[in-house]
Amino acid sequence: MDRATALAPFHSSPATALVAVDFDGTLSPIVDDPASARPVDGIPEVLEELAGRMGEVAVVSGRPLAFLEQWFPHGSRVGLYGLYGLEARRRGERVDHPSSGVWRETIADVAARAVRTGPEGMEVESKGLSITLHYRQHPEVADAVEAWARGAAAPSGLRCRPAKMSVELHPPIDEDKGTVLVRLADEVGGPVFFGGDDVGDLPAFEALDRLAADGRPVLRVAVDGPEAPLALTERADLLVDDPHGMADLLGDLLD
Ligand SMILES: [Mg+2]
């Protein structure tokens, strides 16, 4: 699909459009230290401007809400959906998933155990309602990290999800980028844009497939690159090379 055709529904019906994007690898380059990830220059401003024009603009990420709020502080019109929608901020209001609170203690226990008993080289990032076990700095321990995650998930009731050079542990709540997107899409009623770079974004692409089957204009955008999953890039309507390419595309939505 050429870019002008892909963006046309958003230019013609901005007030009913939804523009949603992942954060890591999509708005920000992937970095060795996840805490130091930051969006490409200009992206927060472009999303803010889009939020004034489109029906809804949202960042939907596996990161905690507090992390995303660094670039979209209170007063921002950009909706934030952290931990795959378990904690959100919309129109200035904090909205947590009703089933999420009871899992905080389990997550804290498993995170503490991961630090104590996890394989050497595994980095533990506790996010309050989920845990990411990273092996980017030590790819040789990938199998050991995955085995540790599976072993911890079963007795605690948590679920494993694969991600780039990491494994995530989540509460068994059926909330993902797809369910978030469907809710938002239902509210705005018009064209839906989603941009992502990883397997965690596949449920969002699947949600867009279903919306498209119902006749809704949708645009699936994938960030290409050596770590980009084929399942995502093959299904994309548009590919961008990196987060800078995503910044350009989001800027074109404003034109
Ligand atoms: Mg990502």
Side-chain angles (χ1 to χ4, degrees):
M1 195 187 290
D2 74 87
R3 192 181 270 225
T5 310
L7 298 184
F10 300 89
H11 288 141
S12 59
S13 313
T16 58
L18 166 63
V19 175
V21 279
D22 163 54
F23 184 83
D24 289 277
T26 300
L27 303 185
S28 74
I30 299 282
V31 288
D32 283 341
D33 171 20
S36 66
R38 51 175 33 263
V40 164
D41 282 349
I43 278 191
E45 293 79 4
V46 168
L47 289 179
E48 208 63 62
E49 208 176 329
L50 280 171
R53 200 177 298 184
M54 302 283 170
E56 183 85 39
V57 172
V59 177
V60 189
S61 167
R63 295 278 199 164
L65 182 60
F67 178 86
L68 302 173
E69 284 183 320
Q70 293 177 82
W71 297 286
F72 305 96
H74 278 274
S76 165
R77 285 176 293 190
V78 177
L80 300 177
Y81 295 80
L83 304 179
Y84 300 89
L86 293 186
E87 47 185 33
R89 192 197 69 204
R90 196 167 177 222
R91 304 200 175 114
E93 300 272 326
R94 170 81 186 238
V95 194
D96 284 353
H97 191 285
S99 317
S100 63
V102 297
W103 288 95
R104 284 191 187 275
E105 204 171 317
T106 303
I107 293 283
D109 286 350
V110 174
R113 193 141 42 85
V115 171
R116 275 199 322 273
T117 72
E120 187 113 355
M122 175 173 93
E123 193 197 328
V124 180
E125 183 188 1
S126 182
K127 301 170 170 178
L129 276 172
S130 76
I131 306 166
T132 304
L133 305 172
H134 297 273
Y135 49 81
R136 179 168 294 278
Q137 315 262 34
H138 294 276
E140 71 281 4
V141 300
D143 290 346
V145 170
E146 278 158 22
W148 194 93
R150 280 195 302 274
S156 60
L158 300 175
R159 290 182 189 162
C160 292
R161 286 188 198 171
K164 281 182 178 170
M165 305 300 272
S166 60
V167 185
E168 298 173 342
L169 290 168
H170 292 269
I173 299 172
D174 289 323
E175 183 82 333
D176 59 30
K177 295 188 184 186
T179 56
V180 171
L181 221 53
V182 165
R183 276 203 307 277
L184 293 177
D186 281 351
E187 287 183 35
V188 294
V192 181
F193 174 115
F194 181 78
D197 76 309
D198 202 354
V199 288
D201 300 310
L202 280 171
F205 270 30
E206 283 156 15
L208 263 59
D209 292 346
R210 293 193 297 276
L211 290 166
D214 290 340
R216 187 80 76 93
V218 303
L219 185 56
R220 290 154 285 226
V221 184
V223 181
D224 211 354
E227 291 178 28
L230 264 185
L232 199 73
T233 53
E234 282 180 346
R235 291 165 69 173
D237 304 303
L238 276 184
L239 292 174
V240 295
D241 289 335
D242 52 27
H244 293 278
M246 184 61 76
D248 288 344
L249 181 62
L250 292 170
D252 285 354
L253 278 172
L254 281 174
D255 292 342

